[in-house]
Amino acid sequence: MLRYLKAAFWEKVAFTAVGPLPVNALAVLGVAALGFVEPVVWLGGAALEAAYLVVLANSERYRRLVRGRELLAAAPADEAAAFERRRALAELDPEAARRHAQLADSVR
């Protein structure tokens, strides 16, 4: 359970301009800073954070996502690259897949 809570806390959201950021961690820092101005913000922030972490960590869909990421990270680099290559090829339209096959045969 702890690994799912940790993964939920550090979950990153991809932004076009700056790349992936751990938005939840940044929100916790913001609530911590605002709490010095108005201490009741800490109570609300802690309640929202606890609810977010419990809901996300108990989601079976999110648990499968975390396990999949762990399996992908544990796979050797060549297996991970082969997996990504197969996934990308599966997304090609038939004409592009045919051209890729021709190019791959001409290189061999």
Side-chain angles (χ1 to χ4, degrees):
M1 179 66 148
L2 188 60
R3 69 180 178 168
Y4 301 120
L5 288 171
K6 182 180 174 185
F9 183 81
W10 293 107
E11 187 68 35
K12 293 181 179 174
V13 176
F15 291 98
T16 314
V18 293
L21 290 174
V23 176
N24 185 50
L26 295 174
V28 168
L29 286 175
V31 166
L34 285 174
F36 288 109
V37 176
E38 185 62 47
V40 76
V41 172
W42 285 333
L43 183 60
L48 287 173
E49 179 67 17
Y52 165 78
L53 290 176
V54 167
V55 167
L56 196 58
N58 284 319
S59 166
E60 185 57 36
R61 184 177 178 183
Y62 186 73
R63 286 175 177 232
R64 284 194 310 263
L65 176 72
V66 170
R67 285 192 300 265
R69 286 179 182 164
E70 289 171 352
L71 286 174
L72 192 57
D78 56 335
E79 286 182 29
F83 172 78
E84 287 297 322
R85 194 169 26 261
R86 285 191 305 270
R87 185 186 61 75
L89 286 173
E91 292 177 359
L92 289 177
D93 61 88
E95 176 60 25
R98 184 188 60 76
R99 289 194 63 227
H100 177 270
Q102 285 178 342
L103 287 170
D105 289 341
S106 68
V107 172
R108 290 182 196 149

